[in-house]
């Protein structure tokens, strides 16, 4: 089992604790992730839904993702910090924004997706598995 991870929003109104193993971690350079993060990419930790406990009120925003299926982003209604994403194409998985970790050093990116869309000033880390778009589905 992975070490316990904790984090929360900027104002502290929303907190979370992750107690299970990660499914994956990575950076996404798609247009939606760039715009919702306010920078060149979004860094996330994917965890099973049952591995995360969130306290505090979370407001949601739903929009179709690259697959055409909805992605629901969770954020603090007080300070606006984006905390989570749930993609309908990945049932049972919650993606947690790595920048909200209490100890950001606990994030290690395993891959980058939509790297073809990365801006010149925010390129994927050399040596990390990189996909120009989404990786092919695993069977």
């Amino acid at each position: 089992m992975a070490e316990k991870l904790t984090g929360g929003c900027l104002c502290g109104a929303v907190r979370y604790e992750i107690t299970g193993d990660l499914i994956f971690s990575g950076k996404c350079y798609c247009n939606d992730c760039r715009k919702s993060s306010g920078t060149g990419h979004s860094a996330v930790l994917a965890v099973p839904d049952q591995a995360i406990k969130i306290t505090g009120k979370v407001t949601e925003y739903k929009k179709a993702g690259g697959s055409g299926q909805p992605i629901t982003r969770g954020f603090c209604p007080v300070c606006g910090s984006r905390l989570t994403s749930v993609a309908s194409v990945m049932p049972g998985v919650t993606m947690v924004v790595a920048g909200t970790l209490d100890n950001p050093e606990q994030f290690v990116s395993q891959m980058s997706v939509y790297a073809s869309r990365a801006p010149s000033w925010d390129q994927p880390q050399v040596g990390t598995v990189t996909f120009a778009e989404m990786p092919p589905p695993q069977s």
Side-chain angles (χ1 to χ4, degrees), residues 55-124:
T55 55
K57 179 180 167 63
V58 175
T59 298
E60 296 179 340
Y61 173 72
K62 188 181 288 191
K63 180 182 183 294
S67 69
Q69 298 301 310
I71 296 177
T72 303
R73 289 175 174 82
F75 58 95
C76 173
V78 177
C79 66
S81 297
R82 189 170 62 92
L83 297 155
T84 61
S85 294
V86 175
S88 64
V89 296
M90 291 190 286
V93 177
T94 297
M95 291 172 280
V96 179
V97 177
T100 64
L101 287 166
D102 289 335
N103 178 1
E105 295 302 319
Q106 291 176 301
F107 174 76
V108 177
S109 182
Q110 297 171 324
M111 71 177 118
S112 293
V113 298
Y114 290 105
S116 65
R117 303 176 192 192
S120 62
W121 47 267
D122 188 9
Q123 291 291 298

Side-chain angles (χ1 to χ4, degrees), residues 5-92:
L5 304 173
T6 59
C9 67
L10 180 62
C11 72
V14 181
R15 297 285 304 157
Y16 64 81
E17 183 176 291
I18 300 168
T19 54
D21 291 329
L22 301 179
I23 298 169
F24 67 84
S25 61
K27 297 177 181 177
C28 181
Y29 293 86
C30 80
N31 296 337
D32 287 353
C33 283
R34 283 201 328 265
K35 287 187 180 231
S36 69
S37 71
T39 189
H41 69 274
S42 180
V44 298
L45 307 158
V47 300
D49 289 346
Q50 67 271 17
I52 185 169
K53 178 183 175 192
I54 299 173
T55 55
K57 179 180 167 63
V58 175
T59 298
E60 296 179 340
Y61 173 72
K62 188 181 288 191
K63 180 182 183 294
S67 69
Q69 298 301 310
I71 296 177
T72 303
R73 289 175 174 82
F75 58 95
C76 173
V78 177
C79 66
S81 297
R82 189 170 62 92
L83 297 155
T84 61
S85 294
V86 175
S88 64
V89 296
M90 291 190 286

